[in-house]
């Protein structure tokens, strides 16, 4: 049995329902957050809340709950579900209205939904490396918003899956942006590079943690534009996100990256990342 939160109530997931006229369903007029909870401790909760607040502001969605109330509900969802490690989805749409209209009504109450699933593949040094395929970035120019309008990302993931790849990386005008569900990092001669936030990417919470870690362990991380040639000549490539942590990418378009195995810088950063997770557990 899975317990979720919907508009003020904790209910069994199978019994939760929303209106078909919800603007999230009709227009993708909604934002979301994905959080990992390790041994029931929400990882980097404040960073997720900060991003959520910015996203809600950028769409002018006003919710009646304070930050502290959302945090407390997230914690309750986590406690009410039995899995030790969880992945928690917080979805907020502009709400449901009686008549379908692109222009929203100011008074509409947002729909707030939080659910939890078991986090099966907890980050570990034993995680297998992955492969990726490179495609042009066809998304809109506001990909920094964690919006539920994820059609491009869904099509990308379907394409990668059909072609036998794990992730799809995007490039815009020859410069890498991010993965369909991840941010990316390249390593060249022991220096680490990642596309800047200005390159129409999601400001990933994991990306932020990894940049902190790189500085903590006295390595260099530059937020710079990365072209495709640089990518294929990199010694290492990683993707990062909340559900997977950090994963090494050993092949892109069937071409080996570096020596086609987990790199030494990856191992160092991964160790430090696992320590951060350990430190978050109380
Ligand atoms: N970029 C995209 C397009 C994503 O969908 C995600 C996560 O799902 C990320 C980056 C990584 O963000 P985070 O580290 O906050 O999970």
């Amino acid at each position: 049995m899975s317990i979720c939160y919907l508009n003020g109530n904790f209910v069994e997931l199978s019994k939760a329902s929303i209106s078909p006229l919800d603007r999230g369903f009709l227009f993708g007029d909604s934002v979301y957050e994905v959080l990992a909870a390790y041994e029931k401790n929400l990882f980097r909760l404040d960073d997720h809340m900060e991003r959520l607040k910015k996203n809600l502001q950028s769409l002018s969605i006003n919710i009646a709950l304070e930050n502290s109330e959302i945090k407390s509900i997230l914690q309750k969802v986590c406690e009410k579900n039995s899995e030790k490690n969880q992945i928690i989805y917080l979805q907020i749409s502009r709400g449901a209205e009686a008549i379908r209209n692109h222009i929203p009504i100011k008074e509409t109450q947002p729909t707030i939904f939080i659910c939890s699933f078991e986090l099966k593949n907890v980050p570990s040094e034993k995680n297998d490396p992955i492969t990726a395929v490179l495609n042009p970035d066809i998304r809109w120019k506001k990909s920094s918003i964690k919006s539920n309008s994820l059609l491009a990302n869904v099509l990308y993931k379907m394409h990668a899956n059909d072609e036998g790849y794990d992730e799809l990386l995007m490039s815009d005008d020859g410069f890498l942006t991010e993965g369909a569900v991840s941010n990316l990092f390249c390593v060249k001669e022991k220096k680490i590079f990642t596309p800047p936030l200005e390159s129409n990417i999601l400001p990933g919470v994991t990306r932020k943690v990894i940049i902190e870690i790189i500085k903590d362990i006295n390595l260099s991380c530059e937020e710079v534009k990365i072209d495709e040639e640089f990518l294929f000549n990199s010694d290492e490539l990683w993707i990062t996100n909340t559900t997977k942590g950090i994963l090494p990418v050993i092949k892109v378009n069937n071409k080996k990256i570096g020596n086609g195995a987990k790199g030494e810088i990856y191992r160092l950063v991964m160790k430090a990342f696992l320590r951060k997770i350990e430190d978050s557990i109380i």
Side-chain angles (χ1 to χ4, degrees):
M1 190 178 73
S2 178
I3 299 295
C4 67
Y5 169 91
L6 179 62
N7 295 335
N9 301 304
F10 293 94
V11 288
E12 242 183 77
L13 182 58
S14 60
K15 304 216 166 92
S17 63
I18 59 169
S19 163
L21 290 177
D22 193 280
R23 297 182 61 91
F25 178 59
L26 297 182
F27 303 111
D29 188 0
S30 51
V31 293
Y32 74 112
E33 271 303 319
V34 184
L35 299 95
Y38 301 109
E39 298 186 22
K40 302 215 167 190
N41 294 274
L42 289 157
F43 189 64
R44 303 293 291 226
L45 177 55
D46 288 334
D47 290 301
H48 286 282
M49 291 306 301
E50 198 184 309
R51 185 170 65 186
L52 176 71
K53 209 170 145 196
K54 275 194 195 143
N55 285 326
L56 289 169
Q57 269 166 2
S58 62
L59 300 189
S60 305
I61 295 179
N62 299 313
I63 56 169
L65 298 173
E66 296 292 332
N67 253 15
S68 57
E69 291 172 296
I70 301 180
K71 282 186 185 179
S72 146
I73 297 166
L74 282 164
Q75 255 135 11
K76 281 192 187 132
V77 169
C78 194
E79 279 153 27
K80 285 175 189 291
N81 286 287
S82 58
E83 289 81 14
K84 186 169 146 196
N85 300 305
Q86 299 176 27
I87 191 82
I88 296 182
Y89 290 82
L90 159 59
Q91 316 273 156
I92 303 183
S93 83
R94 203 182 299 274
E97 294 166 347
I99 295 169
R100 187 189 192 280
N101 188 344
H102 281 65
I103 304 165
I105 298 165
K106 267 212 174 84
E107 293 71 32
T108 301
Q109 281 308 304
T111 300
I112 306 183
F113 173 60
I114 302 172
C115 65
S116 162
F117 300 98
E118 183 180 6
L119 176 59
K120 287 199 176 127
N121 297 312
V122 173
S124 141
E125 283 171 290
K126 293 191 189 115
N127 282 349
D128 289 330
I130 63 162
T131 60
V133 60
L134 189 59
N135 265 225
D137 193 337
I138 54 156
R139 301 172 304 162
W140 73 331
K141 301 269 171 21
K142 292 195 177 189
S143 298
S144 59
I145 300 175
K146 200 162 171 67
S147 126
N148 275 105
S149 306
L150 287 170
L151 192 51
N153 310 59
V154 169
L155 294 177
Y156 279 146
K157 287 300 279 184
M158 285 165 66
H159 173 67
N161 190 51
D162 288 348
E163 299 289 313
Y165 294 100
D166 302 298
E167 174 62 312
L168 184 142
L169 305 179
M170 297 174 271
S171 75
D172 187 13
D173 214 12
F175 290 97
L176 289 152
T177 55
E178 59 183 335
V181 294
S182 58
N183 292 117
L184 64 88
F185 289 78
C186 285
V187 182
K188 183 80 186 161
E189 288 158 6
K190 298 197 184 339
K191 285 191 181 142
I192 302 156
F193 303 89
T194 194
L197 291 181
E198 298 74 46
S199 46
N200 193 34
I201 61 169
L202 186 81
V205 171
T206 322
R207 177 186 182 278
K208 185 178 174 192
V209 176
I210 300 305
I211 292 174
E212 275 174 28
I213 286 175
I214 292 169
K215 288 182 182 151
D216 286 352
I217 59 175
N218 292 322
L219 289 172
S220 127
C221 182
E222 282 180 44
E223 296 179 57
V224 286
K225 285 179 130 195
I226 298 172
D227 65 24
E228 292 179 18
E229 196 190 332
F230 190 90
L231 166 85
F232 284 108
N233 287 310
S234 292
D235 302 325
E236 299 182 28
L237 170 66
W238 324 323
I239 57 132
T240 66
N241 70 20
T242 296
T243 38
K244 302 270 194 290
I246 332 170
L247 287 177
V249 183
I250 54 167
K251 268 187 186 174
V252 177
N253 294 354
N254 262 328
K255 289 187 202 132
K256 255 194 221 172
I257 300 295
N259 63 4
K262 274 185 196 176
E264 64 169 308
I265 307 288
Y266 169 80
R267 287 179 200 277
L268 278 177
V269 172
M270 183 60 174
K271 260 203 175 71
F273 182 63
L274 293 176
R275 272 200 303 273
K276 281 239 186 239
I277 293 179
E278 275 300 310
D279 292 349
S280 75
I281 297 171
I282 43 170

